[in-house]
Amino acid sequence: MKYYLLGQDLWSIVRGAETTPPTDEENLKKWKVRCGKALYVLSISVEDEFLQRIKDLTTPKEAWDTLETLFTKKNDAKLQLLENELMSLRQGDMAVSQYFTKVKSICNEIAKLDPQNAISETRMRRIIIFGLNPKYNGIITAIRGWATKPTLIELESILANQEALDNQMSKVSINEEDKALFSKKGGRKEVQAAANSDSESKGPQRRQGWQKGQHKKGPEQRGGTQSRFRDYEEQKRHRRKDGLCYNCGKKGHYARDCWARKEEGNAVTLKQDENEEE
């Protein structure tokens, strides 16, 4: 605001040698015109709550002094809030660059409100170090042993490089843990799949053996019985097809009328009779 008034040649009637009105009529008229311009600039530059305090004033000096008093009181409260925020600020989840930017921003606002007590770079560095996360304690201890202390830019660069290295190492460790977990799960799945495959392949064979009642028989017994049964069935089919007797294998009669069976039956009867006579 001050520089704008200086550029418009109005600062002299606000806080300079022309704050009091001239005595002659011609200069007084010009002075009032300039006062009107200065009051207009001041009124459009403040909020409504401050405008109500200066709207009835007649000179730019009175308006400026009133605004200065009001802003000083308000600035004191704001300044105290900024200082409290700065002293309680910690890095927490913020990245190094974000943390440095936050501290610098608060310090710049304090300097605007109180230019005579602006925060120096040395104090700003101490505030930043105090609020850093504990994982950077080793670097800070090493820096304190240096003959020449690093500037804020150098300190930010050192901490940012360490932060990038830590992030890279954490990603590598996470990838290794994922690989180990995946290999364990994969090994278990392969073993389980092999066991399931083995049981499935042996299951039907076992069930088939139990169903046929051959689980207690040896290979020779199972094979001999089956082969004889197949040969007998095959002979029956051939005889039925050719019209042969199932008993003697000749044509012209059935097995129930076969003479060979009757003769065999008579021979058996005779033998039984001889046994009874003895």
Side-chain angles (χ1 to χ4, degrees), residues 200-245:
E200 290 176 359
S201 62
K202 294 181 179 180
Q205 296 178 1
R206 293 177 180 175
R207 290 194 297 271
Q208 185 177 4
W210 280 100
Q211 289 174 359
K212 292 182 177 180
Q214 297 177 352
H215 60 282
K216 295 183 180 180
K217 295 182 180 180
E220 296 179 355
Q221 293 177 346
R222 292 195 297 269
T225 303
Q226 293 178 359
S227 63
R228 287 195 297 271
F229 180 77
R230 286 196 299 269
D231 293 342
Y232 175 74
E233 291 294 328
E234 187 68 20
Q235 290 177 2
K236 288 178 66 176
R237 284 195 296 271
H238 282 296
R239 290 180 179 181
R240 187 182 297 110
K241 180 178 180 182
D242 297 336
L244 300 178
C245 175

Side-chain angles (χ1 to χ4, degrees), residues 100 104 121 150-158:
F100 271 72
K104 291 178 182 178
E121 182 175 335
T151 63
L152 276 178
I153 297 176
E154 292 173 347
L155 179 62
E156 182 178 358
S157 178
I158 293 171

Side-chain angles (χ1 to χ4, degrees), residues 12 50 52 63 97 104 112 134 146 154 191 214 251 256:
S12 60
F50 298 109
Q52 299 299 324
S97 59
K104 291 178 182 178
K112 291 178 181 178
W146 293 2
E154 292 173 347
V191 173
Q214 297 177 352
K251 294 183 178 181
R256 65 176 178 270

Side-chain angles (χ1 to χ4, degrees), residues 169-200:
M169 294 301 295
S170 63
K171 290 180 180 179
V172 171
S173 61
I174 292 174
N175 291 334
E176 291 297 332
E177 291 178 359
D178 292 341
K179 289 180 180 179
L181 182 61
F182 177 78
S183 62
K184 291 181 180 179
K185 290 183 178 179
R188 293 177 181 175
K189 290 181 178 179
E190 291 176 359
V191 173
Q192 186 65 28
N196 294 337
S197 177
D198 188 18
S199 62
E200 290 176 359

Side-chain angles (χ1 to χ4, degrees), residues 8 16 221 273:
Q8 299 296 322
Q221 293 177 346
D273 293 340

